[in-house]
Amino acid sequence: MECEILDCEAENLDVADILKKIEEYKPSVIGISSTSPMIEKANYIASKIKEFFKIPIVLGGNHITLVGGEAMKGNKFDFGVIGEGEEIFPKLVTAIKNGEEYIKKVPNIIIRENSRLIPTYRDNRPLDLDSISFPDRSKIKTKKYKRIVRDRIKTFTSIKASRGCPFDCYFCSESIIYPAKVRFRSPDNIIQEIDEISINFPEIEHIFFNDDTLTLKRKWIIELLDKIIERKYKITFEGETIVRYFDEIICEKMAKAGFESIFFGIETGAPEIIKNIGKNITLEQVRKAVKIAKSFGLVTRGSVIIGHPFETKETIKKTIEFICSLDELDEVYVNIATPYPGTKLRAIAEEEIGGLKLTNKSYSALSKYEPVIELEGITSEELKRYQKIAIIKFYSKPNRIISYMKRLKAKDAIQIIKNAFIFVLTILWKGIREKLIRSLKTKNNQIRKSLIKNL
């Protein structure tokens, strides 16, 4: 079964480009994968395809898995795939070719029949991850994928070594998207994929392990790291984990295996908030994990969230003070709590528990930098202000600035400064544009009122 893959963001493709590609390739089926914030764009692309082509369009991805048939409202998509699609989507493509009676035999899909959405039967058996074929990276423009790693910008790819999460963090959808128990690919299976990357894609210099808790299963991660060490790859690595599943032995092996950075979910610097979020970590564990990682030469990254239920200005200040006190932490991401569909956080915000209130229900508005929430005594604008304060305080420490610049080679530093300049200009233009739109709306309303008054 042949296919073509378009990564519209990486390739900077607009709708006209997509339509041109469809005209050239003439596919029998089109699949669109979408997260919640991108669903409106996915709907728009599907509607434009429908204007010019009579081709079945299938929606897949996290959003439809979380909200089901709601994602297909609007007559844009003919079918939807729920959950893991590696086996289901090929079956659906074959069934579409063979006829309607075969389509209804495919599990875990939603079928549009005129205005009706009909779900087929659910098959909840989790996939054996070792049975899934490796991604065909020849179908994408690998050189388009860049990431800052330690001292320079590298071409990278990602590998997901496991699926699911045993924890129940109220802001995360991982355990909802993959409700079965946590599954791990075998170390040998992962090594085969790394071998394939290193042999067939020499331009790829770095691999990001896209797992929420890479070190969760201690025996498994040690076996995988030992096999990577044996191979002596030129490729470098990074991953994410939880501080309570990280120690000196694991970190030492990571460093020997070529890991250049590690990411920790810190979430908050206020002990009273930790109790509410289901993370089950301590601030002391965070300090210890960051110090261990730094002692073995890894770049340390972490993230926190502000705007938790029951959050106050005092607890936000505690979080800011805590991250600034972590001298061994190189980089931090300060996110505003984002209530993604299906999560406990969404339900909490909709029910206005803990002083939390949802101010914008649109999925496209979901962003870590543009809040769709407010708290009792803390407005959305104040959350944004605290976010800026946290970032400025963290990165303005002289030792951190010097350390960061030392890590970068001259040409990469120039590129980063250029990207930052473009980013700032984009933000400024967005603000100016919004003010102009508001100004025009105000003037139009004034004109309208004046006309009515004079009638």
Side-chain angles (χ1 to χ4, degrees):
M1 190 180 293
E2 289 296 317
C3 73
E4 285 293 324
I5 298 173
L6 299 181
D7 186 334
C8 301
E9 186 174 357
E11 298 178 43
N12 197 27
L13 302 178
D14 59 19
V15 173
D17 297 321
I18 295 168
L19 296 176
K20 185 179 178 182
K21 294 278 187 182
I22 293 170
E23 178 64 35
E24 291 171 355
Y25 187 67
K26 295 179 172 54
S28 58
V29 178
I30 295 170
I32 298 177
S33 180
S34 180
T35 58
S36 297
M38 300 303 292
I39 189 61
E40 287 188 17
K41 287 187 178 180
N43 272 315
Y44 177 72
I45 291 168
S47 68
K48 288 298 178 184
I49 293 171
K50 286 288 185 186
E51 286 182 21
F52 295 93
F53 303 99
K54 291 184 178 179
I55 303 171
I57 305 177
V58 183
L59 175 65
N62 289 355
H63 184 65
I64 189 169
T65 299
L66 290 169
V67 305
E70 179 191 333
M72 292 178 63
K73 289 178 180 177
N75 299 319
K76 309 297 190 305
F77 296 96
D78 302 289
F79 304 96
V81 174
I82 306 290
E84 297 175 300
E86 286 90 351
E87 288 185 356
I88 300 301
F89 186 59
K91 287 180 180 179
L92 176 58
V93 173
T94 301
I96 290 170
K97 182 180 178 181
N98 291 335
E100 185 179 336
E101 61 182 292
Y102 294 94
I103 294 172
K104 291 183 177 179
K105 294 178 182 178
V106 179
N108 302 346
I109 66 168
I110 299 173
I111 305 166
R112 181 184 298 285
E113 286 190 358
N114 299 317
S115 60
R116 295 171 62 220
L117 294 175
I118 303 170
T120 58
Y121 72 98
R122 295 303 300 268
D123 182 354
N124 294 320
R125 290 175 297 173
L127 293 178
D128 172 8
L129 299 185
D130 280 8
S131 70
I132 301 172
S133 300
F134 303 146
D136 186 354
R137 292 177 172 85
S138 67
K139 295 290 185 181
I140 61 172
K141 293 178 172 58
T142 52
K143 291 183 180 179
K144 292 280 187 181
Y145 301 85
K146 303 289 185 182
R147 189 171 179 85
I148 301 172
V149 184
R150 194 190 293 276
D151 61 346
R152 65 189 183 94
I153 298 171
K154 292 186 178 182
T155 301
F156 85 102
T157 191
S158 61
I159 287 178
K160 196 163 181 67
S162 63
R163 287 183 183 175
C165 181
F167 308 110
D168 195 24
C169 297
Y170 78 106
F171 51 80
C172 182
S173 60
E174 180 78 3
S175 60
I176 305 165
I177 293 167
Y178 304 115
K181 68 177 184 179
V182 186
R183 288 160 290 152
F184 294 83
R185 294 169 57 184
S186 68
D188 285 336
N189 181 259
I190 297 166
I191 290 297
Q192 287 171 22
E193 185 172 359
I194 299 172
D195 283 345
E196 182 183 278
I197 292 167
S198 64
I199 294 167
N200 298 333
F201 303 95
E203 69 276 13
I204 293 176
E205 308 163 277
H206 186 72
I207 290 174
F208 174 74
F209 279 100
N210 190 23
D211 302 82
D212 287 342
T213 314
L214 184 62
T215 64
L216 176 66
K217 198 174 180 182
R218 198 169 192 280
K219 184 179 178 182
W220 173 88
I221 187 61
I222 287 174
E223 183 182 349
L224 174 61
L225 292 170
D226 284 339
K227 288 180 181 292
I228 292 174
I229 292 167
E230 288 172 13
R231 286 290 204 283
K232 297 180 180 178
Y233 294 110
K234 293 181 180 179
I235 295 170
T236 55
F237 305 89
E238 70 176 293
E240 301 182 19
T241 194
I242 295 177
V243 293
R244 59 190 276 227
Y245 294 98
F246 188 78
D247 58 38
E248 289 91 344
I249 294 172
I250 290 173
C251 190
E252 183 178 14
K253 286 184 179 291
M254 280 185 159
K256 287 180 180 178
F259 272 71
E260 292 201 331
S261 73
I262 189 72
F263 181 96
F264 300 110
I266 300 168
E267 317 312 354
T268 180
E272 57 266 48
I273 297 296
I274 290 176
K275 294 175 184 178
N276 298 330
I277 65 177
K279 195 76 177 183
N280 196 18
I281 61 172
T282 67
L283 298 184
E284 187 51 43
Q285 286 174 329
V286 173
R287 288 189 185 280
K288 183 179 178 182
V290 172
K291 283 182 179 180
I292 289 170
K294 197 66 178 174
S295 71
F296 283 97
L298 271 64
V299 173
T300 53
R301 296 185 168 110
S303 71
V304 292
I305 298 171
I306 59 173
H308 295 283
F310 302 100
E311 186 96 84
T312 64
K313 291 178 181 181
E314 286 68 34
T315 59
I316 291 174
K317 288 173 184 176
K318 283 182 181 180
T319 294
I320 296 171
E321 288 169 6
F322 180 69
I323 58 174
C324 290
S325 73
L326 297 172
D327 291 333
E328 295 85 5
L329 187 64
D330 294 306
E331 299 171 25
V332 73
Y333 301 87
V334 182
N335 307 308
I336 296 172
T338 307
Y340 290 103
T343 62
K344 289 181 179 178
L345 180 59
R346 185 80 180 188
I348 289 169
E350 288 176 344
E351 295 173 25
E352 300 186 13
I353 297 170
L356 196 66
K357 184 179 179 181
L358 192 62
T359 58
N360 189 336
K361 293 185 178 182
S362 170
Y363 293 130
S364 63
L366 294 172
S367 166
K368 295 173 183 176
Y369 303 101
E370 289 295 330
V372 296
I373 61 161
E374 64 182 18
L375 286 149
E376 187 176 341
I378 309 175
T379 65
S380 296
E381 287 303 313
E382 284 178 309
L383 285 171
K384 286 174 67 174
R385 184 169 62 83
Y386 278 121
Q387 183 186 47
K388 290 174 184 176
I389 289 169
I391 292 168
I392 291 168
K393 277 193 170 184
F394 181 86
Y395 284 105
S396 62
K397 293 184 79 170
N399 62 329
R400 193 165 276 123
I401 294 170
I402 293 166
S403 172
Y404 195 66
M405 295 311 295
K406 277 182 178 178
R407 280 171 26 213
L408 294 173
K409 294 185 177 178
K411 66 174 185 178
D412 292 322
I414 291 167
Q415 183 62 46
I416 290 163
I417 292 167
K418 179 183 172 184
N419 291 345
F421 182 68
I422 292 169
F423 176 75
V424 170
L425 284 179
T426 303
I427 295 296
L428 288 172
W429 166 243
K430 185 179 178 182
I432 293 167
R433 183 172 174 273
E434 287 175 354
K435 285 181 180 178
L436 284 171
I437 290 169
R438 284 198 298 268
S439 177
L440 286 170
K441 283 181 178 178
T442 302
K443 286 181 180 179
N444 287 337
N445 286 334
Q446 289 172 348
I447 292 167
R448 190 181 297 111
K449 287 177 181 178
S450 177
L451 286 169
I452 292 168
K453 188 176 180 181
N454 293 326
L455 283 173

